[in-house]
Amino acid sequence: MIEAKNISKSFGDNDVLKDISASFEPGKTNLIIGQSGSGKTVLMKCLVGLFDVDKGRVEYDGRNISDMSFKQKKDIRKELGMLFQGAALFDSMTVEQNVMFPLNMFSDKSYEEKLERVNFCLDRVDLENVNRLLPSELSGGMKKRVAIARAISMNPKYLFCDEPNSGLDPRTSGLIDDLISELTEEYQMTTVVNTHDMNSVLNIGDKIAYIYKGELWWEGNKHEILKTDNKELNDFVFSTELTKRLK
Amino acid sequence: MKHNFFYHTGRYCILITEAFKRPDRDRVFWSHLFREFKNLGVDSIGIVAIISIFMGAVVAMQTAYNIDSPLIPMTMVGFTTRQSVILEFSPTIVSLILAGKVGSRIASEIGSMRVSEQIDALKIMGVNPPNFLILPKITAAMIINPALIIISIGIALFGGWLVAALTNLVTPQDYIEGLRFWFDGYTVFYAMVKTVVFAFIITSVSGYMGYYVEGGSLEVGTNSTKAVVYSSILIIVFNLILTQILLT
Ligand SMILES: Nc1ncnc2c1ncn2[C@@H]1O[C@H](COP(=O)(O)OP(=O)(O)OP(=O)(O)O)[C@@H](O)[C@H]1O
Ligand SMILES: [Mg+2]
């Protein structure tokens, strides 16, 4: 379980996050949704400790990440996988080297075992025969999938995905969603996903937090979200033709 | 500028301290070190050779031109060329050239990793990014640059010899005799100390400029230029300081 307790974060006079408290449960796909620029990425970076929060704290199963030593943070980070919004693959390395990278750094497995793990992870994200390619030779969606494979290669306890399916076609995007929720259940991971894709929300939203202008506006799940009478949330949810028809 | 000199100096010191921690994986460090030997060293041999041969030739010509008194023996051409090349031209000029070549390369490599969040990705995995990215470059340059400078000295002196062989400013015999005249190993030591310090300046300053890029690819470009400018200025300043300490 990951808990954000009263966290605030600003850049100069731009108050991006305002007193957000939320909890993210293990074995569930926890979604953070909100408009572009609402602060989803910043919230996620605060959760993983890439940004220091101005106020409040973030706890991983009771362990407060803000006042940890470098060594302790390092131990937590080995249990953590993250998919960045822009994939963030190492562009000097091949796909195989990218996925193997965390294993090379932090495991004592033999090369064959590592390779087996790499192929297993690539297989999970539906990628074949790409081992030798460089990130620059991949399509946007393939990059995302390689990044997911890299994020899960160490069997993380906590998985963070920043817009795993932006820029993907609906089918691949559905596959990625299913993959994330399957992995979450299978390994009882605590998964946090940023998205503004309503398909994902209705597909895998076990627990949803709606961020509106840096504030936590609404919490619930995929069934409740269609019935809420919260105005801002309704505007967000029923903004597409498809969801309007749903109503 | 958004931040002042003290802010940058402090942040630079913290970054370099982070970089000089023990690597997570020795094997990974060694493989990166060897890659940097190639990237920073072997790949620079060409430009170092070209610059050195012309530099040596010009120094020899200018010295010959300056000696118009029959009281000064022509062996002074070889002697002066050797002294100037070892003391100043090879270590300082070649380091300045390397600041341009290697510095911009390092800053743009690390800078583009910053703006595409690859550095954040490293951090998330529990890797210490300065240590992982900057330490192999600093170490490699501090080891390989002295070798480059030795090569440069050799080629520059050969350049001077070519002048002797191809013109009638000085005879090759006089030139060679001058080269051998009153050689003091301390000058080479001085050159090597300078080279190692300059190598540290180039790699650490450009590593710093790349690591703290904020923005996008435009800023990567701006910061690589700054990396070259700042490391060149520091080289000039430290050249004076080291000369003061070591030669006077
Ligand atoms: N490093 C930064 N420095 C300054 N301001 C930032 C930084 N990162 C984000 N912001 C600001 O924080 C606000 C929220 O940005 P954020 O990236 O979290 O949005 P988002 O919800 O992830 O949007 P999107 O769906 O488009 O990815 C924006 O106003 C942005 O300008
Ligand atoms: Mg975002």
Side-chain angles (χ1 to χ4, degrees), chain A residues 45 48 50 70 74 77-78 80-82 84-86 88-91 93 101-102 104-108 114 150, chain B residues 18 21-22 24-25 27-28 32 35 109 112-113 116-129 132:
Chain A
K45 287 190 174 172
V48 297
L50 281 175
F70 180 76
K74 200 163 169 170
R77 283 185 172 157
K78 285 175 201 162
L80 187 156
M82 178 161 177
F84 285 83
Q85 195 162 353
L89 295 177
F90 303 123
D91 40 32
M93 300 182 195
F101 182 82
N104 281 337
M105 292 305 288
F106 301 111
S107 84
D108 292 308
K114 286 188 276 192
R150 183 177 71 181
Chain B
E18 275 301 301
K21 295 233 166 90
R22 202 191 139 77
D24 290 305
R25 282 278 153 143
R27 205 162 38 82
V28 175
H32 280 203
R35 197 183 64 198
E109 179 186 327
S112 57
M113 291 189 73
S116 59
E117 297 183 309
Q118 294 174 52
I119 291 184
D120 287 337
L122 283 172
K123 225 180 194 172
I124 283 295
M125 294 174 191
V127 176
N128 169 356
F132 181 80

Side-chain angles (χ1 to χ4, degrees), chain A residues 40-41 85 162-163 194:
Chain A
K40 302 184 295 296
T41 300
Q85 195 162 353
D162 196 353
E163 309 207 359
N194 275 358

Side-chain angles (χ1 to χ4, degrees), chain A residues 18-220:
Chain A
K18 296 162 204 156
D19 195 34
I20 290 192
S21 298
S23 62
F24 305 96
E25 292 170 22
K28 282 190 182 174
T29 317
N30 301 274
L31 300 187
I32 301 173
I33 62 171
Q35 247 171 295
S36 178
S38 55
K40 302 184 295 296
T41 300
V42 174
L43 175 57
M44 185 169 276
K45 287 190 174 172
C46 288
L47 291 178
V48 297
L50 281 175
F51 285 151
D52 291 323
V53 292
D54 298 339
K55 278 197 220 109
R57 61 203 163 132
V58 176
E59 290 181 0
Y60 281 68
D61 295 314
R63 298 171 289 180
N64 182 351
I65 191 163
S66 322
D67 50 37
M68 271 183 194
S69 69
F70 180 76
K71 174 86 185 52
Q72 286 169 313
K73 252 189 196 162
K74 200 163 169 170
D75 287 336
I76 273 213
R77 283 185 172 157
K78 285 175 201 162
E79 305 175 347
L80 187 156
M82 178 161 177
L83 165 67
F84 285 83
Q85 195 162 353
L89 295 177
F90 303 123
D91 40 32
S92 59
M93 300 182 195
T94 63
V95 166
E96 182 177 303
Q97 288 165 336
N98 261 288
V99 181
M100 203 182 276
F101 182 82
L103 301 167
N104 281 337
M105 292 305 288
F106 301 111
S107 84
D108 292 308
K109 293 192 176 115
S110 71
Y111 177 77
E112 285 71 28
E113 286 172 304
K114 286 188 276 192
L115 189 61
E116 196 181 328
R117 177 75 194 156
V118 167
N119 287 329
F120 172 79
C121 294
L122 286 175
D123 194 48
R124 287 301 309 248
V125 294
D126 246 341
L127 284 172
E128 273 173 6
N129 300 324
V130 292
N131 290 37
R132 304 254 164 270
L133 297 183
L134 288 168
S136 56
E137 298 168 312
L138 302 177
S139 75
M142 287 162 93
K143 280 186 199 153
K144 281 254 153 96
R145 287 187 275 162
V146 174
I148 295 182
R150 183 177 71 181
I152 61 173
S153 68
M154 288 286 279
N155 251 330
K157 241 170 105 179
Y158 313 99
L159 179 66
F160 296 84
C161 303
D162 196 353
E163 309 207 359
N165 41 27
S166 67
L168 297 187
D169 63 277
R171 207 186 92 83
T172 317
S173 144
L175 287 176
I176 298 274
D177 285 342
D178 292 341
L179 170 70
I180 290 172
S181 84
E182 263 170 51
L183 290 168
T184 305
E185 256 176 60
E186 198 174 325
Y187 299 109
Q188 285 297 301
M189 291 188 292
T190 306
T191 304
V192 182
V193 178
N194 275 358
T195 186
H196 39 51
D197 180 354
M198 278 315 293
N199 286 322
S200 317
V201 173
L202 298 177
N203 190 3
I204 56 169
D206 297 333
K207 192 164 184 298
I208 302 166
Y210 175 59
I211 308 286
Y212 180 72
K213 293 189 177 161
E215 286 180 61
L216 181 65
W217 209 251
W218 183 89
E219 273 183 296

Side-chain angles (χ1 to χ4, degrees), chain B:
Chain B
M1 209 189 286
K2 208 165 54 176
H3 304 294
N4 64 25
F5 171 76
F6 296 103
Y7 176 85
H8 283 291
T9 314
R11 200 165 62 158
Y12 168 82
C13 291
I14 294 170
L15 182 76
I16 300 305
T17 320
E18 275 301 301
F20 275 89
K21 295 233 166 90
R22 202 191 139 77
D24 290 305
R25 282 278 153 143
D26 289 341
R27 205 162 38 82
V28 175
F29 173 76
W30 287 109
S31 79
H32 280 203
L33 186 66
F34 280 97
R35 197 183 64 198
E36 298 305 339
F37 280 153
K38 180 186 172 297
N39 288 347
L40 307 183
V42 179
D43 287 357
S44 304
I45 290 178
I47 187 162
V48 167
I50 293 172
I51 287 162
S52 305
I53 199 155
F54 282 92
M55 200 168 68
V58 169
V59 173
M61 276 182 189
Q62 288 180 349
T63 318
Y65 171 78
N66 276 313
I67 300 176
D68 50 6
S69 158
L71 292 178
I72 303 174
M74 280 322 270
T75 52
M76 281 314 279
V77 175
F79 174 76
T80 310
T81 306
R82 185 196 76 206
Q83 292 299 84
S84 321
V85 163
I86 294 179
L87 288 174
E88 190 62 13
F89 282 92
S90 281
T92 310
I93 302 290
V94 173
S95 291
L96 284 171
I97 301 291
L98 290 175
K101 180 175 184 291
V102 169
S104 58
R105 179 190 172 123
I106 292 178
S108 55
E109 179 186 327
I110 297 182
S112 57
M113 291 189 73
R114 163 63 76 195
V115 298
S116 59
E117 297 183 309
Q118 294 174 52
I119 291 184
D120 287 337
L122 283 172
K123 225 180 194 172
I124 283 295
M125 294 174 191
V127 176
N128 169 356
N131 174 271
F132 181 80
L133 297 172
I134 303 178
L135 185 63
K137 298 191 197 311
I138 295 182
T139 321
M142 287 171 79
I143 295 171
I144 204 85
N145 282 20
L148 285 176
I149 299 306
I150 296 284
I151 294 174
S152 159
I153 292 174
I155 296 179
L157 296 184
F158 172 70
W161 179 85
L162 281 182
V163 168
L166 301 176
T167 69
N168 48 19
L169 290 168
V170 53
T171 64
Q173 289 77 11
D174 278 349
Y175 179 77
I176 300 278
E177 199 188 322
L179 282 189
R180 295 178 159 180
F181 180 68
W182 211 48
F183 178 71
D184 182 0
Y186 187 74
T187 53
V188 176
F189 170 76
Y190 161 80
M192 291 300 111
V193 172
K194 289 212 295 192
T195 303
V196 172
V197 172
F198 296 164
F200 178 81
I201 291 174
I202 296 169
T203 43
S204 61
V205 169
S206 348
Y208 172 80
M209 293 315 295
Y211 196 80
Y212 287 109
V213 170
E214 276 169 33
S217 36
L218 188 65
E219 282 78 6
V220 174
T222 325
N223 274 30
S224 345
T225 313
K226 281 187 193 162
V228 177
V229 173
Y230 294 156
S231 33
S232 305
I233 294 174
L234 283 170
I235 286 176
I236 301 291
V237 171
F238 273 83
N239 190 27
L240 182 73
I241 297 175
L242 289 173
T243 306
Q244 169 79 20
I245 294 173
L246 294 170
L247 286 193
T248 56

